[in-house]
Amino acid sequence: MLFSPPLWAAPEQLPTNLKWITNNDDPSWASPKAIKGGTYRMVMANFPLTLRTVGPDSNTGLRSAINGNQMSLVGTHPQTNKPIPELATHWAYDQDGVTTYYKLDPNARWSDGLKVTADDYLFAVEFMRSKHIVAPWYNDWYTNGIVEAKKYDDYTIAITGSAPKSPEDMHYYYGFQPKAKHFYTMDENWVRDYNWKIAPNTGAYQVSKIRKGKYLRFERKKNWWAKDYKYNVNRFNVDKVHYKVIRDNNIAYRHFLRGELDVFGATLPNFWHDKMQGGLYQEGYINKIWFYNETPQPSIGFSLNQTHPLLADKNIRLGFAHSLNIALMLKTVLRGDYERLTSYADGFGDYSNPDIEPYPFDLTKADELFSQAGFSQRGPDGIRTNDKQRLSFSVTYSQSAHTQRLVVLKQEAKKAGLEIVLQLLDGASAYKNVIEKKHEIAFMGFGGGANPQYWAAWHSDNANKPQTNNITNTADPLMDELTTAYKFGISTEQKQKLSKQILQLIHDNGAFIPMYKVPYVRLAYWKWMKLPAHHGTKRSNTLFEPFNNEYGVHFGAISWIDVAEKQATKDALSDSEVFDPVTIIDATFKVRQ
């Protein structure tokens, strides 16, 4: 596909028939009771390998926090789903269906005080197309997806995509974030030189302190340029956000019980049902909340590396699927709290494929498939063999909390003559192992955006290459055709049809075996942590998140710390006072009532 370099156009070339739109009429979703102050103390399991958000080793858990402080041109209201102003005050759509015009906010500033201008958007395209960032997906998208960026004056730009989309999708797919032109020098040393540099941003917080391997801290900007804007009022309330590295979840929980962490995830059933009972919970010092949401589900499951000689055989892959007793694991280890994930993209409305049924645990079917692949015999230990090798695969994963559920699958798989060897690595090592395609089978999850994305994970352009998301190394001509058509789809209806076809093809291929989904947020939090009366929005996949989500999706930054109550709570602990226990079950947005 041909593409245009970033362009400059004279102001008089701006079309005169544009209908400029803005939206300051939707309701605020923050609480007027929110107060500023305090340090929100969070845990992260592993220290990131870099502060870069593109390039090698950048796809870490911290990436969303960094991107959550880089504002988009237009955000998305979490309740109405309508566009709202962010770095752009107004926008307009061309009749060609591929071009959107934006009026940039002249008040917008980088964290170093310099203005955000059209030049930062033209530079962003050059940046993302540069081979120096070593990011093939971004290189491709900013070449073949975003085909042109044009500047009319310092605060007016146009972005042209490769295919017509709905107005809302135009913002989501083509409305990229700027890059601070004055900050970067693009050369062959870029990856190394910018590994630990703190890039200027546009959001409410900036990284303020780092101790590698120990902690990382964000600090709220005292004079943030957008702090008084309607959709930001009563949000971004804490002064500091402190991420402390604690690699073991049980040790992290002990820190939480000592009041050294403010919030603790309670998704794991053994925490919610067993550990989070009595004591500080019964005495009312720590509250609990179970909040159902309506959000697309991450693709959690097993990714089978098809460059492995045995996993290249579809019979082996499907036999592996039928050897997994996921239903038993959900019922026992996970207490029935989780639900079976049906496909690679679940919870995306008309983009999902409701006709797909996940492969059941079926020993007869597994036997048939493994035998067809030449593994009809069993050794003394009950594991299948083809006279040359045993039917054995290692499963790489990164959280010790997942061991118990994987052990159940391992034990049940033996009934099918399949050996699963569990390989627990720390987060950084597991990620590196998988992203470099050195794994056999990976148990992990990939998050997505508002709509499913397929090209990066399933197109052959990304197969058999390190640092890409095609971790199954799928290289299938039909998949290439469908994912390319989806990527450059003309209409929503066409993309939804293609999405269903892609999901069916992924299911039939067997290189990804879906495991489970969690359609809610479950947390424990000290009583000084506060939420609005409505607790969250339908798109909230966390409640105490201090920043925006990525790509302009707003749901975070509505919590706050009552500093006075925190001191009173500590005093009450010393005096052995008792309060009423609080457990909240909020099913407002529960899909299945």
Side-chain angles (χ1 to χ4, degrees):
M1 180 177 292
L2 296 176
F3 66 91
S4 300
L7 300 173
W8 182 88
E12 57 268 21
Q13 293 179 287
L14 185 70
T16 58
N17 62 341
L18 295 175
K19 181 181 178 182
W20 291 99
I21 303 167
T22 191
N23 176 16
N24 287 298
D25 299 325
D26 281 356
S28 171
W29 60 98
S31 171
K33 296 181 180 180
I35 54 179
K36 305 292 185 186
T39 298
Y40 179 30
R41 301 158 304 164
M42 304 175 67
V43 64
M44 59 180 175
N46 297 280
F47 199 81
L49 298 173
T50 180
L51 290 183
R52 289 180 285 97
T53 58
V54 297
D57 302 321
S58 63
N59 193 20
T60 63
L62 190 69
R63 183 181 183 275
S64 61
I66 295 174
N67 276 341
N69 283 291
Q70 288 283 18
M71 301 180 74
S72 301
L73 282 160
V74 171
T76 301
H77 193 283
Q79 301 286 40
T80 69
N81 291 336
K82 293 179 181 178
I84 55 177
E86 209 162 285
L87 285 172
T89 61
H90 297 75
W91 49 93
Y93 308 107
D94 196 290
Q95 293 181 351
D96 64 7
V98 296
T99 302
T100 309
Y101 298 85
Y102 294 96
K103 289 185 178 180
L104 305 180
D105 191 331
N107 295 324
R109 295 289 188 276
W110 293 106
S111 48
D112 56 13
L114 296 182
K115 294 181 178 180
V116 179
T117 70
D119 289 335
D120 296 310
Y121 284 91
L122 298 192
F123 174 71
V125 176
E126 296 179 5
F127 177 97
M128 289 299 196
R129 289 175 176 173
S130 171
K131 297 301 181 183
H132 297 314
I133 67 174
V134 194
W137 187 91
Y138 288 104
N139 290 165
D140 175 82
W141 178 249
Y142 280 80
T143 299
N144 298 316
I146 295 171
V147 298
E148 182 180 271
K150 187 180 291 185
K151 167 186 172 182
Y152 290 93
D153 58 42
D154 283 347
Y155 298 104
T156 309
I157 63 172
I159 299 173
T160 300
S162 57
K165 298 186 183 297
S166 67
E168 292 77 13
D169 280 351
M170 295 272 278
H171 298 302
Y172 178 77
Y173 285 102
Y174 302 144
F176 55 86
Q177 296 173 336
K179 293 289 182 183
K181 182 179 181 180
H182 63 278
F183 177 74
Y184 292 104
T185 298
M186 305 305 296
D187 58 29
E188 64 275 6
N189 298 317
W190 183 85
V191 168
R192 181 195 66 196
D193 291 348
Y194 288 86
N195 211 36
W196 294 106
K197 288 187 177 180
I198 300 172
N201 68 11
T202 55
Y205 294 82
Q206 179 59 292
V207 175
S208 61
K209 194 171 183 179
I210 300 171
R211 186 176 177 187
K212 291 182 183 178
K214 299 295 184 180
Y215 66 82
L216 184 143
R217 186 179 301 159
F218 287 80
E219 191 163 347
R220 183 162 51 86
K221 300 170 186 175
K222 295 180 180 178
N223 296 305
W224 182 43
W225 63 274
K227 66 183 177 65
D228 296 323
Y229 285 19
K230 175 181 177 179
Y231 298 119
N232 295 328
V233 172
N234 296 317
R235 299 177 66 226
F236 310 105
N237 298 308
V238 298
D239 289 339
K240 297 176 183 178
V241 181
H242 185 89
Y243 288 90
K244 184 175 183 178
V245 176
I246 307 175
R247 292 177 173 82
D248 185 278
N249 201 41
N250 291 305
I251 294 175
Y253 185 60
R254 291 200 288 270
H255 281 255
F256 172 67
L257 292 178
R258 293 198 297 264
E260 297 168 7
L261 299 171
D262 296 298
V263 175
F264 196 86
T267 303
L268 296 176
N270 65 312
F271 277 89
W272 180 267
H273 295 290
D274 300 330
K275 294 186 177 183
M276 294 177 173
Q277 302 292 334
L280 293 168
Y281 300 93
Q282 185 61 33
E283 293 166 359
Y285 287 97
I286 299 178
N287 301 338
K288 295 164 61 178
I289 184 167
W290 189 331
F291 181 89
Y292 288 88
N293 53 26
E294 291 182 39
T295 61
Q297 294 295 311
S299 304
I300 298 174
F302 295 94
S303 294
L304 283 58
N305 187 347
Q306 294 171 90
T307 60
H308 187 287
L310 294 182
L311 295 175
D313 188 329
K314 182 178 176 180
N315 286 323
I316 296 288
R317 298 196 300 272
L318 295 183
F320 178 87
H322 283 294
S323 302
L324 299 176
N325 198 343
I326 296 175
L328 177 65
M329 184 273 295
L330 292 176
K331 181 180 178 180
T332 56
V333 180
L334 297 178
R335 311 282 189 95
D337 291 354
Y338 295 15
E339 299 175 14
R340 181 76 193 266
L341 189 71
T342 58
S343 70
Y344 182 77
D346 199 339
F348 289 87
D350 290 334
Y351 286 85
S352 297
N353 188 337
D355 296 329
I356 293 176
E357 292 289 338
Y359 294 109
F361 179 64
D362 188 331
L363 295 178
T364 300
K365 188 65 177 177
D367 178 69
E368 175 187 333
L369 290 162
F370 288 145
S371 295
Q372 289 176 11
F375 285 86
S376 57
Q377 305 174 46
R378 296 202 186 209
D381 59 356
I383 302 302
R384 292 176 182 270
T385 177
N386 64 358
D387 291 328
K388 295 180 180 180
Q389 59 192 133
R390 299 166 76 250
L391 190 62
S392 176
F393 302 103
S394 65
V395 172
T396 301
Y397 67 110
S398 62
Q399 295 186 42
S400 60
H402 294 160
T403 298
Q404 188 180 6
R405 61 194 73 171
L406 292 174
V407 165
V408 170
L409 299 182
K410 172 186 171 76
Q411 292 172 340
E412 289 292 296
K414 287 182 180 178
K415 298 176 181 177
L418 170 67
E419 180 180 55
I420 295 177
V421 179
L422 301 183
Q423 184 183 39
L424 173 63
L425 302 176
D426 67 82
S429 298
Y431 170 75
K432 197 170 186 67
N433 177 274
V434 173
I435 206 69
E436 292 182 355
K437 317 296 175 68
K438 296 178 180 178
H439 64 293
E440 295 182 358
I441 299 173
F443 172 62
M444 60 188 306
F446 279 100
N451 295 326
Q453 303 298 314
Y454 299 112
W455 187 86
W458 295 100
H459 195 282
S460 64
D461 280 359
N462 304 307
N464 305 304
K465 298 176 185 176
Q467 302 294 333
T468 72
N469 286 346
N470 188 344
I471 62 173
T472 62
N473 283 314
T474 295
D476 175 24
L478 179 56
M479 183 72 81
D480 288 353
E481 178 185 340
L482 293 175
T483 54
T484 299
Y486 178 88
K487 182 177 181 181
F488 300 111
I490 295 175
S491 68
T492 299
E493 291 74 17
Q494 180 197 36
K495 288 174 71 71
Q496 290 172 346
K497 181 179 179 180
L498 286 166
S499 180
K500 290 178 173 63
Q501 293 176 283
I502 292 169
L503 291 173
Q504 187 65 57
L505 195 59
I506 292 172
H507 174 77
D508 295 342
N509 173 272
F512 174 78
I513 312 301
M515 195 162 172
Y516 52 67
K517 58 184 177 181
V518 186
Y520 54 78
V521 183
R522 215 160 57 179
L523 298 163
Y525 57 101
W526 282 87
K527 66 195 305 289
W528 57 72
M529 296 298 298
K530 303 298 180 182
L531 290 168
H534 56 276
H535 303 128
T537 72
K538 65 181 180 181
R539 303 183 71 168
S540 295
N541 58 20
T542 184
L543 296 178
F544 291 95
E545 169 61 48
F547 313 129
N548 278 345
N549 195 14
E550 292 191 61
Y551 312 118
V553 178
H554 289 270
F555 61 70
I558 57 174
S559 64
W560 69 95
I561 297 173
D562 189 324
V563 177
E565 184 168 349
K566 182 174 181 178
Q567 184 57 53
T569 301
K570 290 183 175 181
D571 293 341
L573 265 171
S574 300
D575 296 336
S576 300
E577 292 186 40
V578 175
F579 304 94
D580 292 333
V582 175
T583 297
I584 299 167
I585 309 294
D586 190 333
T588 304
F589 302 111
K590 189 175 182 180
V591 175
R592 298 174 183 173
Q593 298 287 351

